[in-house]
Amino acid sequence: MAVTVDEFELPLYVTDTVVDMARWAESTPIAVSTAITRGRSGKYNGFKYIKVEFEDAEEE
């Protein structure tokens, strides 16, 4: 997910794959993956990437 770079972190774009996120951000999948892994702030491009994990309701 891409979010705003402020205290609210409002969602800008939500997708299931790094490839789709890279297309939206006009970047490469490896650059997006690296930004997520390293926790980049996103202050230069105006948004940052975050990884959201959740458990399926069926597993409980």
Side-chain angles (χ1 to χ4, degrees):
M1 176 171 20
V3 297
T4 58
V5 187
D6 58 11
E7 66 271 12
F8 302 111
E9 292 189 347
L10 299 173
L12 296 172
Y13 188 76
V14 179
T15 184
D16 291 335
T17 67
V18 173
V19 174
D20 289 340
M21 183 64 68
R23 286 185 187 133
W24 174 81
E26 299 178 356
S27 185
T28 63
I30 193 70
V32 172
S33 181
T34 301
I36 292 169
T37 303
R38 295 184 180 175
R40 300 284 165 101
S41 69
K43 70 179 184 178
Y44 293 110
N45 59 1
F47 59 89
K48 68 179 181 177
Y49 305 108
I50 59 172
K51 184 176 182 178
V52 179
E53 296 182 19
F54 61 93
E55 295 181 21
D56 290 332
E58 297 173 2
E59 292 179 6
E60 294 178 2

